Amino acid sequence: MSHASADDYRPGLEGVIASETAIANIEGADGAGGLEYRGYRIEDLAGHVSYEQTAFLLLHGELPNRQQLREFDARLRQARPIPEALVELYQRIPKSIHPMDVLRSSVSVLAHFDPDANAAPTDHAANVRKAERMIAQMATAVAARRRISQGLPLVAPRADLDHAANFLYMVHDKVPSEAMRAAFDLSLVLYTEHELNASTFAARVTVSTLSDIYSGIVSAIGTLKGPLHGGANEEAWKVLERVGSPENAEKWIQDALARKQRIMGFGHRVYKTGDPRATILKTHCRALAQEVGDDRWERIAEPIEQAVTSQKMLPPNVDWPSARLYHYMGLEIELYTPIFALARVAGWAAHVIEQLDHNRLMRPRARYIGPPHRPVKPIDQR
Ligand code: ACO
């Protein structure tokens, strides 16, 4: 085995190739930094195929034909209800606990009720079944916890609605308009997968010890929560709220940049010239702002986007427009990162399965920078 030298250390593993994957490519076919899921450009998927089709593509390797989609969809719809024990837990967890923390616990609880709970961690077919159940149940779990923490009656999933419409229905007790459903579905497709981001890496490291898929997804949820990763969509909304009015935007952003403040929703470790997901979502933000008859947030966002892009060379990432998109759908800020998670679970699961199918324990090295070798002094001489 060859050893990397201490000089190879890259803080944050920046640019380090830590896995092979056939799931997502963020170099793009032309090397220009695009995003592809299993060879399909994101621009050709978003708005053209549903979240269900995208999840099937990630888990099963190909886009489904009609019959495969019908069967997959039926399995998801059937798996939507969550165990009563989880609902009872939601009633006991303090209302103030953040939904991402509750979601992390929820997936642990769901693991215990999975019919394949005792399958071997490397059982490919059982892992795909578990992944499908998680996709279905995480959406129900997020909506159920939300309703309970607001003191509202639970809304049971509806088998006649697709994944996107059913989630919005369970949150609001109201079937969404077609424009809202389509925009939410598209946002889920854009959030579904993104190569070896921090949460996916965490999931792969976890299962590389031959731990189980649920443990991998729990690790991923904990990792996604941070504001430098998925938590950025909540922080992006707080920026817009802090600015408050279009008239205030230019001054606010110039002051923030002068203070060297980190503007959440901008910049990306890999995309340096622009995040293709943000470009797609921006168009939908404008359309939904029109539908709800309030373009204030678009008018606040635009000068901020212009300033950060031109002065810092940091274009918006997916979390910048998604915060506005979810606001137009009447979704509370605390749901933004859980929504990211319930979309991304398909990508996480695909990576976990890929890791377990070709496993090698992930065990990197650290460069030691502590004190040199020294003797242990008896306690009275220290
Ligand atoms: N606002 C202002 N300045 C920024 C921002 C930002 N959003 N992002 C980076 N910078 C600056 C840094 O301050 C630093 O400046 P300096 O060299 O003068 O110190 C320089 O750009 C490089 O920053 P790094 O943090 O080293 O760049 P990195 O590639 O590691 O950053 C990251 C990637 C963490 C996403 C960063 O851009 C950031 O913190 N963005 C805000 C959080 C965010 O939106 N996260 C979501 C990412 S996408 C996702 O998870 C779906």
Side-chain angles (χ1 to χ4, degrees), residues 51-325:
Y51 176 73
E52 288 87 327
Q53 293 193 51
T54 310
F56 185 97
L57 168 68
L58 297 181
L59 289 180
H60 296 274
E62 296 294 339
L63 282 168
N65 61 30
R66 282 196 186 282
Q67 190 186 339
Q68 287 169 325
L69 181 60
R70 239 189 336 268
E71 289 168 3
F72 180 67
D73 205 15
R75 291 198 295 278
L76 291 185
R77 289 176 196 225
Q78 206 217 343
R80 281 177 185 166
I82 53 174
E84 195 50 39
L86 189 54
V87 174
E88 283 166 20
L89 183 67
Y90 291 161
Q91 276 147 355
R92 286 159 187 256
I93 294 175
K95 287 189 170 55
S96 59
I97 300 301
H98 192 281
M100 276 303 276
D101 294 331
V102 180
L103 183 61
R104 193 189 57 222
S105 305
S106 303
V107 172
S108 268
V109 173
L110 287 172
H112 311 318
F113 293 88
D114 192 296
D116 288 304
N118 294 322
T122 49
D123 182 336
H124 179 99
N127 283 338
V128 172
R129 290 195 295 273
K130 288 176 179 176
E132 292 183 357
R133 290 183 197 115
M134 273 189 270
I135 291 170
Q137 294 183 331
M138 276 172 59
T140 313
V142 170
R145 165 63 184 177
R146 189 66 195 154
R147 304 262 324 161
I148 288 171
S149 65
Q150 290 184 318
L152 296 168
L154 277 190
V155 176
R158 253 177 61 174
D160 60 328
L161 297 176
D162 73 3
H163 194 69
N166 178 57
F167 176 76
L168 293 174
Y169 165 72
M170 290 188 296
V171 171
H172 295 313
D173 194 13
K174 186 168 165 261
V175 176
S177 70
E178 175 48 25
M180 294 286 177
R181 184 209 65 76
F184 189 66
D185 181 66
L186 173 130
S187 77
L188 297 180
V189 170
L190 295 175
Y191 266 136
T192 309
E193 164 55 15
H194 209 233
E195 201 228 37
L196 210 56
N197 55 84
S199 54
T200 303
F201 184 51
R204 290 190 76 130
V205 170
T206 300
V207 300
S208 81
T209 66
L210 296 185
S211 185
D212 70 294
I213 186 168
Y214 277 95
S215 299
I217 304 302
V218 169
S219 295
I221 293 171
T223 309
L224 185 72
K225 181 185 149 189
L228 294 187
H229 191 7
N233 56 11
E234 294 187 8
E235 298 302 319
W237 180 254
K238 289 181 196 160
V239 166
L240 297 172
E241 274 190 330
R242 239 170 265 143
V243 177
S245 72
E247 298 69 39
N248 202 21
E250 190 58 39
K251 180 175 173 354
W252 186 93
I253 188 62
Q254 293 309 336
D255 288 351
L257 291 178
R259 283 196 309 274
K260 292 197 173 297
Q261 184 178 323
R262 199 166 277 249
I263 316 297
M264 295 306 185
F266 288 86
H268 196 276
R269 176 57 71 78
V270 181
Y271 297 128
K272 295 302 178 193
T273 55
D275 179 338
R277 301 166 299 176
T279 312
I280 298 172
L281 273 187
K282 187 173 172 178
T283 317
H284 290 267
C285 282
R286 289 186 171 150
L288 284 199
Q290 260 191 349
E291 170 159 328
V292 300
D294 179 8
D295 69 352
R296 173 163 70 124
W297 303 106
E298 296 308 301
R299 290 191 294 125
I300 294 175
E302 191 56 32
I304 296 176
E305 194 172 316
Q306 293 293 337
V308 185
T309 307
S310 63
Q311 293 173 39
K312 296 286 294 185
M313 306 302 162
L314 290 169
N317 60 54
V318 62
D319 290 328
W320 178 246
S322 75
R324 293 180 339 259
L325 197 84

Side-chain angles (χ1 to χ4, degrees), residues 12 15 19-20 34 40 54 60 85 133 195 246 340 347 381:
S19 280
E20 285 188 325
Y40 297 108
T54 310
H60 296 274
R133 290 183 197 115
E195 201 228 37
F340 186 158
Q381 294 172 28

Side-chain angles (χ1 to χ4, degrees), residues 26-40:
I26 57 175
E27 300 297 330
D30 53 4
L35 169 59
E36 294 174 359
Y37 298 167
R38 295 205 185 270
Y40 297 108

